[in-house]
Amino acid sequence: MPLEPLAIDPATIVGTINRHDWPGFVARCHFDARYEDYGQGIKAESAPVLIEKLQRWVQSFSDLSIELARSIEQKNGAACEVILRGTHTGALPVVDGVIPPTSRPMVIPAVMLIGSDGEKIQTIDLYYDMVTLLDQLAVVE
C-alpha cells in the first residue's frame, strides 16, 4: 500500500527558511508547534518562539543556506538529511554564553525530523554534532 504524501513537503519548508519567509513558515505551523535543537539544547513550544530560534541561526550565519540532501516522507512526517552552510558573521548564543563572530565558514550535516498532522507542522527536531560546528569555527582545540 503506497504512503500518502506529506501535506507539508520538506523542500517547501527548507525553501521558506532559506528565503527567511517567516510569515510563510508560521502559516505552515500549528500555533503550538514544538521545536528542539538537540545540538544546542534549545527548545520552543510555539510557532512564534520557534521562528525566534530559527532566526538565531540567520543572525549568527547571515548567508545561511540549508540544502535538502534527501528525505523520507509519509503522511504525518518526514525524516530529512540536510546540510547547513554559512559564514559565522554574528554572535552565536550557546548554552554557556555567546561565541563572537569568527568569519569562518561552516558546513554541518544534520537530520531534521518534521512531524505533521497531515496539514500543518506540529514538531521539528534538529540533530547535528555541535562539536563539529565548534571545531569549524575554531573555538575548540
Side-chain angles (χ1 to χ4, degrees):
M1 178 174 166
L3 295 173
E4 294 181 42
L6 181 64
I8 306 296
D9 85 285
T12 300
I13 294 166
V14 167
T16 59
I17 296 169
N18 282 338
R19 290 188 308 277
H20 308 165
D21 177 9
W22 308 122
F25 190 88
V26 167
R28 290 173 170 78
C29 293
H30 281 283
F31 181 79
D32 61 351
R34 184 190 58 75
Y35 169 74
E36 190 154 358
D37 177 330
Y38 287 89
Q40 294 190 51
I42 294 171
K43 295 180 182 183
E45 301 291 336
S46 70
V49 177
L50 187 160
I51 295 302
E52 176 187 310
K53 303 303 181 191
L54 291 176
Q55 288 174 331
R56 283 180 159 191
W57 279 100
V58 175
Q59 291 162 354
S60 300
F61 300 91
S62 58
D63 61 346
L64 178 70
S65 68
I66 303 172
E67 173 191 343
L68 179 62
R70 61 186 163 156
S71 65
I72 300 170
E73 304 166 26
Q74 60 184 24
K75 182 180 178 183
N76 293 325
C80 309
E81 178 184 0
V82 296
I83 310 297
L84 308 173
R85 289 186 173 84
T87 307
H88 184 212
T89 56
L92 176 62
V94 291
V95 173
D96 58 350
V98 174
I99 300 171
T102 63
S103 299
R104 297 179 67 90
M106 66 100 180
V107 178
I108 303 293
V111 172
M112 182 171 60
L113 302 177
I114 303 165
S116 168
D117 65 359
E119 295 190 18
K120 292 197 173 210
I121 297 167
Q122 293 178 307
T123 61
I124 296 178
D125 295 303
L126 182 63
Y127 297 87
Y128 57 94
D129 181 11
M130 187 65 174
V131 174
T132 299
L133 174 60
L134 296 174
D135 185 53
Q136 289 182 22
L137 300 181
V139 295
V140 295
E141 294 183 22

